[in-house]
Amino acid sequence: MKCPFCTADNTAVKDSRPAEDNTAVRRRRACEVCGGRFTTFERVQLREIVVVKRDGKRALFDRDKVAKSITIALRKRAVGDENVERLVSGVVRKLESSGETEVTSAEIGDLVMESLKTVDPVGYVRYASVYKDFKDPSDFARFIETSALKEGNIEE
């Protein structure tokens, strides 16, 4: 593993432990040249997933993009980093276990929304506002009302 500080090839693993509900290994490393310390994560990748975007372009699935979008939706909410990792791992597991090598960005967005709904309703609405491209405040109200109706929380 290359050192992110000095790019030396000689780094040593100082500590390894399970992470993300035993779906990854967290390793603390130290550079033997500059002494810099950093953390790496090792995960199983069952298959490469290609994301088909709205405009038809294709890109490799990027776990970090999903994590970043969830983190933004949950900013300043009482949801810990380990919960975010669990959400991301759950989305990735569902994608990998589907057996599909290509998924649409809409499918990924739906999986993220489904996961956020169970963890934090405010984060769910924040994510939906970007994903569904809300234009004005009435879009929020309409979405919340529709979502509540689907859940059976409000009678028509």
Side-chain angles (χ1 to χ4, degrees):
M1 176 67 61
K2 244 182 219 246
C3 173
F5 306 111
C6 71
T7 69
D9 288 328
N10 300 336
T11 61
V13 175
K14 296 298 182 184
D15 179 46
S16 289
R17 63 182 64 177
E20 301 169 18
D21 293 336
N22 288 326
T23 61
V25 177
R26 176 185 184 271
R27 300 192 194 283
R28 283 295 293 157
R29 297 178 178 268
C31 178
E32 295 175 355
V33 175
C34 73
R37 291 180 168 266
F38 58 100
T39 302
T40 60
F41 287 88
E42 183 178 313
R43 295 178 184 85
V44 172
Q45 183 175 340
L46 296 176
R47 64 180 51 92
E48 286 203 344
I49 298 171
V50 175
V51 179
V52 181
K53 306 212 177 204
R54 289 180 185 162
D55 64 3
K57 291 183 182 175
R58 288 172 161 64
L60 282 178
F61 175 77
D62 186 351
R63 176 192 177 91
D64 292 335
K65 282 185 180 179
V66 173
K68 184 178 177 183
S69 66
I70 291 173
T71 300
I72 290 169
L74 295 173
R75 187 175 289 148
K76 295 187 180 182
R77 301 293 301 156
V79 178
D81 292 340
E82 58 282 343
N83 285 339
V84 171
E85 269 309 313
R86 249 185 247 116
L87 283 173
V88 174
S89 292
V91 168
V92 171
R93 251 189 318 268
K94 286 178 184 174
L95 290 170
E96 288 180 338
S97 65
S98 75
E100 299 294 325
T101 55
E102 286 192 352
V103 295
T104 64
S105 56
E107 290 173 281
I108 295 170
D110 289 342
L111 286 173
V112 171
M113 283 185 51
E114 183 182 306
S115 298
L116 278 171
K117 184 187 270 188
T118 63
V119 172
D120 186 75
V122 172
Y124 167 66
V125 173
R126 284 179 177 172
Y127 185 86
S129 71
V130 175
Y131 173 60
K132 303 271 187 193
D133 196 25
F134 291 179
K135 299 289 186 212
D136 59 60
S138 65
D139 293 339
F140 283 90
R142 219 176 356 269
F143 176 78
I144 291 169
E145 186 177 304
T146 304
S147 181
L149 283 171
K150 284 180 187 174
E151 293 295 313
N153 295 337
I154 301 174
E155 292 182 21
E156 290 187 62

